[in-house]
Amino acid sequence: MQQKLQRAILVNVIPHESDKKEAMAEFDELVRLVETYGGMVILKILQKRGRPSASTFLGEGKAHEVGQLVKDMKADVVIVNGFLKPNQSNNLVNIIPCEVLDRFEMILKIFEKHAQTPEAKLQLQIAYNKYEFPKLFGKGAALSQQAAGMAARSAVSTAGGKRAARGPGEKILEVKRRHLRSQIQTLGKKLQQFRKVRELQRERRKRQDFFTIALVGYTNSGKSSLMRALTKKKNILVENKLFSTLDTRLGEVYMEGSGKRKILLADTIGFIQNLPPLLFSSFLATLDEVKEADLLLHVIDISNPKTAEQIKVVDDILDKLGCAEKPRIYVFNKIDACNPSGIAVFKQMYNTFPAVFVSALLEQNLDDLLAEIRKRLPVHV
Ligand code: GDP
Ligand code: MG
């Protein structure tokens, strides 16, 4: 898990009838994930196939081809833009002479690299252990067969040979599973304690009468930049990388008319499409801030070709968090990088919503945003 990624080959299987250009575009997010991790993509390979091979994901011939390419191009890692079953992953590793990851493992690696607080690290470890768990189940059969082979060879003349055939592999695995299970429980308890502390902190803030605003939005939409622009604090990590904010960060804003009451801004981790449910639940703790917030700023990258889809992903996650009814301002960001007709489309589409169009980078139209926020402050502040 600690190894650094360098030269990556991306692969995927698509149905015969699909459009190759579109399928290539689906690699974009994975490319950004790889770059976020500090690697570079040297090749993208699509295989048209009825469905992924049950044993090797790519067809076996294709897998060997990729293996050869890895050697020729000196690749360090092959990443499947999908999710590998344990046996697929085991078989691919035997064919391809470098590390083979799937999307889940790639995301885990990035989370791991960026986890800063003990809480974030703990959440990761839980996600990782939970991910290992089914993998061990999958490996059970293979390991048992190996063990059975050894047992059969050594006990060939004894009558006990057959019974031994089911034993040793399963036993080792059972111990491993039990260990993982208890580890997950212990980590879970620790995480509960962290959450309690956070809860207490939040309650204290409430008692002190803070008005909390949470920045939510797709990864890379400009949440941290906006937070920085609003708080004028230059110590928030801003990077052109997905997930560069893994932990919730808080900042304070002083607003004219907000009286004695302080406004707290909470930056959050980015949302991403197809986030594996296992990871999603591990990160719920950091999203507590979102659930507790008085107001949400949904930050949107308007310069992205997939703006509309990204808005939907975030809206859906907010619904799942039970935040459907929470007051929300749509903050269309990066207007400096978008042509006027693109902006006009969203202005029209969102004319019945509270929506503002800003550039966090150039600090454009931030007053519009502050005015919208002010409208939503409780009257007594
Ligand atoms: P986050 O993942 O949502 O926190 O996004 P960041 O604040 O880290 O920003 C991601 C990238 O978008 C960085 O390279 C920023 O410089 C860039 N960015 C943020 N706001 C703007 C903007 O208004 N205009 C442009 N052109 N780029 C921006
Ligand atoms: Mg950020």
Side-chain angles (χ1 to χ4, degrees):
M1 286 290 286
Q2 296 298 349
Q3 218 172 313
K4 197 168 161 61
L5 274 192
Q6 285 150 5
R7 297 160 63 80
I9 296 182
L10 310 186
V11 299
N12 204 5
V13 168
I14 54 169
H16 288 291
E17 63 280 6
S18 36
D19 179 56
K20 212 159 185 173
K21 221 170 148 192
E22 261 172 41
M24 271 296 177
E26 277 172 21
F27 275 131
D28 288 352
E29 192 167 271
L30 189 59
V31 171
R32 274 186 290 140
L33 287 173
V34 172
E35 287 167 359
T36 295
Y37 191 73
M40 93 191 202
V41 173
I42 53 171
L43 188 65
K44 297 177 233 175
I45 301 172
L46 282 174
Q47 181 183 28
K48 284 203 168 181
R49 207 171 190 279
R51 61 186 142 109
S53 151
S55 57
T56 47
F57 193 83
L58 298 166
E60 202 178 327
K62 197 71 177 179
H64 281 283
E65 254 177 59
V66 172
Q68 189 57 47
L69 282 166
V70 164
K71 280 187 207 149
D72 295 346
M73 300 180 74
K74 298 196 169 36
D76 301 297
V77 62
V78 169
I79 307 169
V80 175
N81 196 17
F83 301 103
L84 289 175
K85 296 206 176 78
N87 70 314
Q88 291 172 323
S89 146
N90 289 341
N91 291 334
L92 275 181
V93 167
N94 287 334
I95 298 174
I96 295 172
C98 69
E99 196 177 9
V100 179
L101 301 176
D102 66 5
R103 219 181 127 79
F104 185 97
E105 289 165 312
M106 187 66 236
I107 295 173
L108 262 187
K109 273 180 181 270
I110 291 168
F111 279 169
E112 187 187 42
K113 195 169 169 183
H114 289 277
Q116 284 163 359
T117 63
E119 188 182 5
K121 291 195 171 115
L122 209 58
Q123 284 164 350
L124 262 184
Q125 190 145 23
I126 293 174
Y128 188 69
N129 283 355
K130 282 189 178 166
Y131 185 64
E132 275 289 280
F133 206 67
K135 282 220 161 176
L136 277 181
F137 272 98
K139 275 180 188 151
L143 271 183
S144 291
Q145 268 166 17
Q146 271 175 23
M150 285 187 282
R153 272 192 298 280
S154 65
V156 81
S157 58
T158 69
K162 225 176 181 179
R163 190 179 302 155
R166 288 189 63 237
E170 285 298 337
K171 238 185 202 149
I172 301 167
L173 275 167
E174 189 43 45
V175 172
K176 277 194 181 170
R177 278 176 209 150
R178 219 178 297 147
H179 177 67
L180 263 186
R181 216 177 283 147
S182 76
Q183 233 183 352
I184 291 171
Q185 271 175 4
T186 314
L187 292 172
K189 274 188 201 139
K190 268 197 198 158
L191 191 62
Q192 280 298 330
Q193 286 165 359
F194 276 117
R195 294 184 83 159
K196 267 217 180 98
V197 172
R198 257 177 193 277
E199 227 166 80
L200 285 175
Q201 286 171 343
R202 269 198 308 274
E203 264 173 27
R204 204 170 57 215
R205 286 206 300 270
K206 259 196 185 150
R207 273 204 306 276
Q208 290 174 345
D209 221 16
F210 283 112
F211 185 83
T212 322
I213 304 175
L215 291 153
V216 297
Y218 212 77
T219 42
N220 231 34
S221 57
K223 297 178 292 298
S224 300
S225 305
L226 188 64
M227 170 123 157
R228 194 175 59 170
L230 289 175
T231 57
K232 285 287 185 180
K233 280 185 188 164
K234 301 289 178 196
N235 59 355
I236 296 159
L237 184 67
V238 184
E239 272 185 272
N240 189 11
K241 290 182 173 175
L242 300 169
F243 304 119
S244 57
T245 322
L246 195 66
D247 301 305
T248 308
R249 300 254 167 259
L250 290 175
E252 276 176 31
V253 189
Y254 297 91
M255 204 178 272
E256 225 181 292
S258 68
K260 272 204 312 232
R261 211 169 168 195
K262 275 185 189 159
I263 297 174
L264 272 189
L265 269 182
D267 192 6
T268 62
I269 63 163
F271 296 156
I272 187 171
Q273 207 162 9
N274 303 325
L275 188 66
L278 216 51
L279 273 183
F280 185 70
S281 58
S282 284
F283 283 89
L284 274 186
T286 58
L287 297 175
D288 278 349
E289 295 283 353
V290 177
K291 285 196 263 184
E292 303 281 326
D294 299 299
L295 172 67
L296 301 180
L297 302 186
H298 178 168
V299 184
I300 298 150
D301 177 357
I302 199 173
S303 72
N304 190 292
K306 295 204 166 173
T307 303
E309 277 132 292
Q310 296 187 345
I311 295 174
K312 193 172 169 341
V313 170
V314 175
D315 278 342
D316 285 350
I317 292 175
L318 290 174
D319 285 358
K320 274 192 203 138
L321 281 175
C323 296
E325 305 299 325
K326 212 178 264 299
R328 192 178 313 181
I329 301 172
Y330 289 89
V331 183
F332 288 88
N333 186 31
K334 308 198 190 183
I335 53 167
D336 60 290
C338 182
N339 60 33
S341 61
I343 297 172
V345 169
F346 284 99
K347 275 200 171 147
Q348 174 64 28
M349 217 188 286
Y350 280 80
N351 63 3
T352 58
F353 293 87
V356 292
F357 295 78
V358 305
S359 166
L361 197 67
L362 304 185
E363 301 184 12
Q364 286 171 344
N365 299 351
L366 294 184
D367 287 340
D368 291 356
L369 174 58
L370 291 177
E372 283 295 328
I373 293 175
R374 203 168 287 129
K375 273 193 226 165
R376 281 160 189 81
L377 294 177
V379 265
H380 63 273
V381 295

